[in-house]
Amino acid sequence: MKILIVEDEVKLTQALEFLFNKQKIDVEIANDGEEGLMLAEKDIYDVIVLDIMLPNISGLEIVRIIREKGIKTPVIMLTAKDTLDDKVLGLDSGADDYLVKPFATKELIARVRALGRRKNTEYINEKYEFNDIAYLPKNFELIIRGINVKIPKKEGDLLEMLISRPGQVFTRDQIVDRLWGLESDVLENNIEIYIHHLRKRLEETNTKIETIRGVGYIIKER
Ligand code: CA
């Protein structure tokens, strides 16, 4: 699971990053609205934690813009009591949940986990199931016919991305950004190596990773 936190209080973001990492949840941070919007538009996160009062672009603006663009990433808004108006409460903005500051970090982690449960995914104890395979991200374990096999982290992260949203094509850019971070200059060949390994593992299953030429990859029933 990988989340984006957009919040301008640097100390808070550092603390949250530490706590989420302890829960084996990867975190990317943006400390202003502009950067937050740029990252949110990449559509590579499982959940976005979004402060409302931000420099440059407000959290409400960000959620409105990404929803207009068809990005469905679940959003939890962070709000101070004095900005808690009907707009947020009604969740008209397109957000899925909100939390009033100051909040207990345990509560935020629980809400993020709850929002991370996607429609097409059975997400019990962080287990993704699709067709005849399953994946446990916490231990990087692929489950085929009841047998758990530990796989390398990058391979697991790639599989998690695909299996968390079956039916969605992920572009090579999205995969590179999510697996290696935004400042990396990883070659696309690297993705192909991991795709190749995953395909080998799935050879005997009813599930395949399909290449959409010129676009990217999608997980499908064979
Ligand atoms: Ca703020």
Side-chain angles (χ1 to χ4, degrees), residues 7-9 51 53-54 101:
E7 160 65 74
D8 55 322
E9 287 170 50
D51 187 30
M53 300 295 279
L54 289 166
K101 286 177 172 179

Side-chain angles (χ1 to χ4, degrees), residues 120-122 127-136 141-148 151 155-156 158-160 162-164 166 198-209 218-222:
N120 300 322
T121 307
E122 206 171 321
K127 180 181 181 182
Y128 295 94
E129 288 184 20
F130 174 70
N131 202 22
D132 59 344
I133 68 165
Y135 179 63
L136 292 171
E141 283 178 359
L142 171 64
I143 307 170
I144 297 172
R145 281 187 291 272
I147 296 168
N148 295 38
I151 63 177
E155 238 179 278
L158 175 56
L159 177 63
E160 183 182 357
L162 296 169
I163 203 173
S164 69
L198 282 175
R199 280 184 176 147
K200 285 222 106 154
R201 294 183 194 282
L202 299 179
E203 245 167 19
E204 307 286 309
T205 71
N206 218 357
T207 303
K208 66 171 178 178
I209 297 170
I218 185 171
I219 198 162
K220 271 189 163 180
E221 195 176 333
R222 203 184 290 276

